[in-house]
Amino acid sequence: MIVITGATGNIGSKITSKLLNQGKKVRVIGRDAKRLQVYVDQGAEAFVGDLSDQQFLTRAFKGATVVFCMIPPNLTAKNVNDYQRTIGTSIVTAVKNAGVTHVVNLSSIGAHLTRNAGIVQGLHDQEERLNDIVNLNVVHLRPAFFMENLLSTIDMIKSQNMVGAPLDGAFRFPTVAIQDVANVACDYLTKATFTGHTVRNLLGQRDINYNEIVKVLGQAIGNKNLKYVQFPYEQAQTAMVNTGISDSVAAALTETMKTTNEGPFLAEAHRTPESSTPTSIEEWAKTFAKHYNL
Ligand SMILES: NC(=O)c1ccc[n+]([C@@H]2O[C@H](COP(=O)([O-])OP(=O)(O)OC[C@H]3O[C@@H](n4cnc5c(N)ncnc54)[C@H](OP(=O)(O)O)[C@@H]3O)[C@@H](O)[C@H]2O)c1
């Protein structure tokens, strides 16, 4: 039995669909029975509840050969550190109480940092909590910036003909398609032969900067004049708060961007054949164009 947290989300939904297509026995966790029903219809077992509920989660993890764990984003968390600690501790308690032996943990690049990682600080702490569980075999997946984050720029492109973020436009960074992350997760989940504690970076096909990204996206949507504009940190943080993101989460996301621009965030994101994944930004831009033209 493979147990999936965040089963209705970006990564979890792709993992769940793939495992069900392969005929695997899958248990899906989420807060909304209706959103899980599509998987129940395909043979999955649903556990409806909140990841912060340790007793619920222990029941949901019982009998698992392997669990896919994540701390989901909560953009409105009043205190993001408290939120990540609460969910992280609950997952770790349930892993211990249910006697889980194998975990595939969705972490992030930058999770090697012990400070100033912003939104990723809680994922660093979660890797440590899981590593502290005696006899647990765990793989920490550390994906780069998801290409799918770029979908949130569609409104800005339509209204202002630009893409804006606090990253330096000439700064190359890794970016990965979520399907590639899900594919690697499925490999680990179906084999569950990994031992000890390991980290797997998932860095996409190549590093690319925002100036290059907007050219590729512009080409895909037939807009040669699309521009990238680097926002000052404060302006970006205020803009996030204006869209309903909490002060705490906006500050954490801004800190992550700052640490990325300054270098430390990517210090352990070494590109190797193992850390590279197949989907290029040019290939993914076809998905972008489909969403843009909806
Ligand atoms: N975005 C990036 O560039 C990036 C890069 C590297 C790593 N990451 C990491 O990837 C993770 C996010 O993955 P994702 O994009 O797949 O997430 P996502 O799309 O936001 O999905 C998370 C799912 O978790 C469920 N959920 C949320 N809160 C819950 C709760 N309290 N109890 C039970 N279920 C809950 C939600 O389903 P229901 O609403 O149906 O319950 C949601 O569909 C984060 O840890 C993030 O830090 C992101």
Side-chain angles (χ1 to χ4, degrees):
M1 166 75 73
I2 302 172
V3 178
I4 312 292
T5 63
T8 61
N10 291 318
I11 304 278
S13 63
K14 292 216 173 334
I15 292 175
T16 304
S17 297
K18 186 162 178 164
L19 294 176
L20 289 171
N21 282 336
Q22 292 173 347
K24 303 292 178 199
K25 217 171 156 198
V26 175
R27 184 180 291 156
V28 287
I29 300 176
R31 293 165 299 179
D32 183 342
K34 280 192 203 131
R35 295 188 73 199
L36 295 171
Q37 188 59 39
V38 59
Y39 304 121
V40 173
D41 293 343
Q42 296 169 69
E45 182 185 7
F47 266 61
V48 180
D50 199 291
L51 292 175
S52 62
D53 179 345
Q54 298 178 6
Q55 287 177 352
F56 158 74
L57 212 50
T58 301
R59 287 196 301 280
F61 286 178
K62 273 257 158 76
T65 48
V66 55
V67 179
F68 175 75
C69 290
M70 71 156 76
I71 300 179
N74 178 353
L75 297 180
T76 56
K78 274 216 171 94
N79 181 319
V80 71
N81 299 329
D82 287 351
Y83 163 74
Q84 290 181 321
R85 192 180 312 109
T86 301
I87 300 282
T89 306
S90 176
I91 288 173
V92 163
T93 304
V95 165
K96 284 188 204 159
N97 291 347
V100 173
T101 59
H102 289 77
V103 165
V104 176
N105 174 46
L106 181 60
S107 183
S108 170
I109 53 165
H112 64 284
L113 290 171
T114 53
R115 52 199 282 274
N116 299 336
I119 202 80
V120 172
Q121 204 62 63
L123 307 190
H124 165 86
D125 296 346
Q126 182 67 351
E127 287 194 8
E128 294 209 322
R129 280 185 208 104
L130 288 164
N131 288 344
D132 283 345
I133 301 177
V134 179
N135 291 334
L136 179 70
N137 303 296
V138 56
V139 179
H140 304 291
L141 300 181
R142 289 187 183 169
F145 179 86
F146 296 165
M147 290 180 188
E148 282 71 8
N149 295 343
L150 293 165
L151 295 173
S152 68
T153 65
I154 287 176
D155 286 347
M156 196 189 292
I157 294 174
K158 287 188 175 171
S159 60
Q160 298 172 64
N161 200 30
M162 66 177 205
V163 171
L167 282 186
D168 181 336
F171 178 83
R172 288 208 171 86
F173 57 96
T175 173
V176 64
I178 57 174
Q179 186 64 60
D180 289 354
V181 178
N183 289 346
V184 173
C186 282
D187 281 348
Y188 284 111
L189 291 166
T190 50
K191 291 183 192 117
T193 50
F194 50 91
T195 54
H197 311 150
T198 44
V199 166
R200 174 86 182 261
N201 286 327
L202 298 169
L203 307 181
Q205 186 243 9
R206 69 181 193 278
D207 291 1
I208 187 162
N209 64 40
Y210 260 115
N211 292 331
E212 294 161 339
I213 288 173
V214 292
K215 267 197 196 133
V216 175
L217 298 184
Q219 227 158 26
I221 59 172
N223 178 351
K224 281 189 189 153
N225 300 318
L226 189 59
K227 296 220 164 12
Y228 176 71
V229 177
Q230 182 179 8
F231 291 155
Y233 295 119
E234 274 173 27
Q235 189 186 335
Q237 196 169 325
T238 305
M240 285 189 251
V241 171
N242 288 342
T243 65
I245 295 177
S246 73
D247 289 335
S248 172
V249 172
L253 287 168
T254 305
E255 184 175 65
T256 302
M257 290 299 146
K258 203 162 181 243
T259 310
T260 304
N261 269 332
E262 290 167 0
F265 198 76
L266 299 180
E268 290 200 4
H270 307 298
R271 186 165 292 283
T272 63
E274 199 196 34
S275 68
S276 297
T277 55
T279 307
S280 66
I281 190 76
E282 287 80 8
E283 185 61 31
W284 183 81
K286 294 176 196 163
T287 305
F288 182 85
K290 270 189 206 145
H291 284 265
Y292 186 87
N293 292 320
L294 276 181

